Amino acid sequence: MGRKLWGRIQKHLPLIKAIFIFSILIFVIQTVGRIAHEVNGQQLQSELATLDTGTILLLIAGGFLAVTPMLIYDFTIVEFLPGKFSWGYIVRSGWTTNTFTNLAGMGGLLGASLRANFYARSATKKQVVYAISKIALFLLAGLSLVCWVALILLFGFDIGQPYRGYWIWLLGGGLYFPGIFLFTRISDSEFFADLTLKRELKLILGSSLEWASCAGFFLVIGWALGLPISLAAVFPMFVVASVAGVVSMIPGGLGSFDVFMIIGLGFLGVSRADATGWLLLYRLFYYLLPFLVGVGFFIHDTGRRLNRFLDGLPVAALRRGAHWLVTTFMYFSGVMMLLFATIPDVVLANRFYLRFVPYMFYFLSQVTNIVMAFLLIGLARGVGAHVKRAFWPTLVVLVVAIGMTLWRENFPVGLALLLGLVLICLLVARPELYRTSFHYSWGGLLIDGSIYVGTFLMYTLLGLSTLQGPHHRPWFPSAWLLPSTQVWLNGLGGLLVALLIMVGVYRYLAWTQPQWLHLKYDAPRMRAIIACFGGNEVSHLAFLRDKQAYFYQEDGADQLFLLFRQKADKLLVMGEPIGNQAKLEPALQAFMRDANLAGLRPVFYEISETLTLRLHEMGFDFIKIGEEGHVALSTFSLAGKAHRGERALMNKFDREGYQFELLQPPLRAHQVNELRRISDAWLRGETEKGFSMGFFDAAYLDEAPVAVMRNKAGDIVAFANLMPTGDQRMTSIDLMRASPQAPSGIMDGLFIYLFDYSRQQGYENFNLGMAPLANVGVSSFSFIEERAAHLIYEYGSNFYSFQGLRAYKAKYVTDWQPKYLAYRRRQSLIFSMLQLMLVINRPGSTVAVGPKWLNGWFANATRWSSRENE
C-alpha cells in the first residue's frame, strides 16, 4: 500500500511542486495584505516624518543586517547534504526562507517546506528532511541563551526591575538550550552521527547572533525615536515578549508579542501611541522590507524553474516584449518631439496628439527637441536591429532625456512611471542586443529617410511661407506658420545637425564588421575544396572574382564554402554550397549564425528543391524561379525524326569546313584578343552581367578549356568556356558568343560537339542552364507571386521569349530540375528581387536594355541564347 502511494506521489510530483509553489504565492499575497491591514498607514507616515533621511537609511540597513545572521542556518544545512550549492544560491534561498518564516512562525512547516524545495535538487527527500530537522532543533537555542542574559540583567545587575514578575517565562525559555545541547551530545542515535560539535557550535552561534541582532535592532529603533528611557531596561521585556510570541504559535508573534511589548513599555513610561509607533517601525524595517526582498528572490527562483521547464520561452518572451517596448517608445517619442518642434501650434490643437503629450520627452528648446528626436529615432533603429553597440548610447540618451523631462515642475506621475519602466525594459532587453554590426535595410532606410526628408521639405515650405507672410497665401492655415524667421532658421539648423547625428549614429553602429565578410579572393583555397570534395554547377563561377566566399572549417580544415555578394542588409548567396556535402547542415547553421550576428539576412538564389526544403525548416520562405535543363549524355543521339534539322545542320558545317576545337589554358595573347573581338561584337555595346553568369575576363577564361568553332579559313567564329564541376557527373558552359560572320545555327553546332566531347570524357549529364519561369505558378493553389510570374511567362513575349528559350533547350533536355529563391520569412520579396537584379547587373555600370536586362533576374537564362533565339 505504501509503495503504491509513493509511486503515485512520484508520478504526480511535478503537479505537487506546482501546487506547492502556487500555495506559497497565495501565502505571500495574504501575508502582505494582512500586514497592510494591520499597519496603520497614517500613523506609520507620521512616525517616519519624525525621522530624518539619514536615520531612515540607517534603519533600513540595520533591518537587513539584523536578518543576515539567519543565513548561517542555510550555510550549515548544505554541509549535511550531498552536491554543491553556489554561494549566491544559498544566500537567495536562505534569505527567502528566513524572511518568510519570520512572518509565518519561527522555524515552522513553511520554513521546512521551503528549504526542502530549495535544497532537494541534489539530495534524497530523506537527507533533506534529516538536515532540516537537525537545524530546527537549534533555531531557538539563541533565544534560550538571551533568556539567561535577561535573567542576569534582572537579578544580577538590577536592570529592568518592572519585569521581574516575568522570570518564569525567562526561566522556561532558558532551560531549552541546556536540555537540547545535552540531549544531542549524549545521544548515540545514528540521526546525530554527522552533527559534530563544530557544526553544533556553528548553529548555536547563528541562533545567538539572530536573536541578539533582533533585540539590538529593536533597541536601535528606540534610540532613533529619542524616547527618554533606559534602552537596556527594555531588553528583558523584549526577550519575554519574544518567548510569548513563540509559545503562542502565531505567525511572527503578531499580536502576542505586540501586546506584551506595549504593556511592558508602559511600565517604563512609554505612551501607548509611542509604543505602537515603535512596533510599527520594527515590523516595517525588520519584517516587511526584508520580506519583500525575499519575495523578489522567490519569484526569481520560481521564474527560473518555470523558464527551464518551458525551455526558456518565458524569458525569451519577456526580453522580446521589453525590446519591442523600448524600440516602439523611442520611435514614438522621437516622432512626437519632432512634430512638437516643427509645427507646435498645429499639434497642440490636435486632440489625438494631446492624448499622448503626457507620455513624451520634454526639452528646453526647439533645436534640442529636433536633435534629440532624430537621436532617438537613430538609436531606435539600432535597438530594433538588436545591435550590441546601441545599448550604452541608448541608456545614456534615455537617462539624460528622463532627467531633463523630470526636471520640469509638475511633471506627470504617469510619465515618471513610464520612463522608469522603459529604463527597466532596456536593461531586461540587453541580451536581445547581441549583433556585432548594423546594416540598413531598404525598408528601414525608406522609413527613416522619409521621416527626415519629409520633415525637411515640410519645414522648408513652412519657413518660406512664413517669410512671405499670410497675405501672400490666404488659403494657407495661419496655425501652420512659424512664429518668426529666427525660429525657422534655428529649426533648420537643428535639422542639419540632426542629419549629421543620424549619419554618425549609423557609422557608429556599423563600425564593427566581421572579418569573414571582407576576406580577399583566394582561388587556391577554393580549388583545394573543389579538388577534394567536388564542385557543382556554380562552383566555377567562384573564379569570376566578383563574389566573396564564406568558408566553413572543422578542426582547422576547410570543408565547404558559399559564394555571396552583400547588398544593403542582404547576403545574396549564389547557388548551392560547394564542398563536403556531409557537413552541409553545420555549415548552414554556422553561416546563418555569423550572418545574424553581423546583422545580415541571407537570400539563396537558384537552389535545388532539397536545399529549399532544408532552408524552409530554418525559417525561410521560397518561390520557384524556373527550371534547369539537363541532357543525359549516355542516351543523347541525333538519330530519329526529332533531330532531323540538327543532322542537316551538322552535315552543312562539315561540308563548309567548320571545325570544333578546344583551347587549353593558359590562352595566348592573340587568342584572348580574338575572343574579345567576338565578345564585343556579340554584346553590341551592352553592359555584361555578373554574379550568376560569367563575363568576359581573361583570367576567368584561363581557368578552364574554351571550346571554339573555326571556319574554313581557320578563324574563330564562335566560342564557349567550359565549367568543370570537379567530378565526372555533370559539366556545363558559361559564356557562349558568336561573331556577326557566324552562320545561323552555329550555337547548335557547338552544343552538339560539346555533348559528344563530354560523353567521351566520361560525363553523365550536360547542364543547359535555366529556363526562367518555366512551370512556375501553373497550379491554382500556387503562391500569388508564382501565379503572377506565370502570367509573365504566358504573355511577356514582347519583352522576352520565355517560352521560346524553353522550347529551344527542350530539343536536347532529358530532365528538368526546379530551381528556387529562398528568403527569410517576413522579408520583402520585392526588395530582395530588386537587390538581386542590381547585383547581377553589376552596380555602378549601365543597366542593359532589351532581353538581356530581364536576364539579370534569372541568372543563366541567356548563357547560351543565340541571335536566332532572341
Side-chain angles (χ1 to χ4, degrees), residues 514-533:
Q515 185 178 2
W516 61 267
L517 200 58
H518 301 284
L519 287 177
K520 293 183 179 179
Y521 174 72
D522 195 344
R525 192 174 179 183
M526 294 185 285
R527 288 194 192 99
I529 294 177
I530 294 172
C532 182
F533 301 108

Side-chain angles (χ1 to χ4, degrees), residues 450-519:
S450 298
I451 292 175
Y452 185 85
V453 173
T455 303
F456 188 85
L457 292 177
M458 179 190 68
Y459 196 72
T460 302
L461 177 63
L462 293 179
L464 294 176
S465 300
T466 300
L467 290 175
Q468 295 181 1
H471 57 278
H472 285 86
R473 289 182 175 83
W475 49 268
F476 199 86
S478 58
W480 284 77
L481 297 178
L482 298 175
S484 66
T485 304
Q486 183 64 39
V487 171
W488 177 59
L489 292 175
N490 287 340
L492 201 61
L495 285 173
L496 295 176
V497 173
L499 177 61
L500 297 177
I501 288 177
M502 289 279 286
V503 174
V505 168
Y506 168 70
R507 294 290 186 185
Y508 168 78
L509 295 176
W511 184 263
T512 305
Q513 295 289 337
Q515 185 178 2
W516 61 267
L517 200 58
H518 301 284
L519 287 177

Side-chain angles (χ1 to χ4, degrees), residues 329-330 332-334 336-337 340 357-363 369 372 376 397-405 408 415 419 422:
F329 176 79
M330 291 176 67
F332 160 78
S333 194
M336 293 283 284
M337 291 173 65
F340 179 73
V357 164
Y359 305 105
M360 60 175 279
F361 291 123
Y362 295 91
F363 278 78
N369 272 304
M372 184 57 66
L376 285 170
V397 167
L398 285 179
V399 169
V400 171
I402 290 172
M404 292 295 294
T405 302
R408 298 166 56 251
L415 176 61
L419 298 180
V422 170

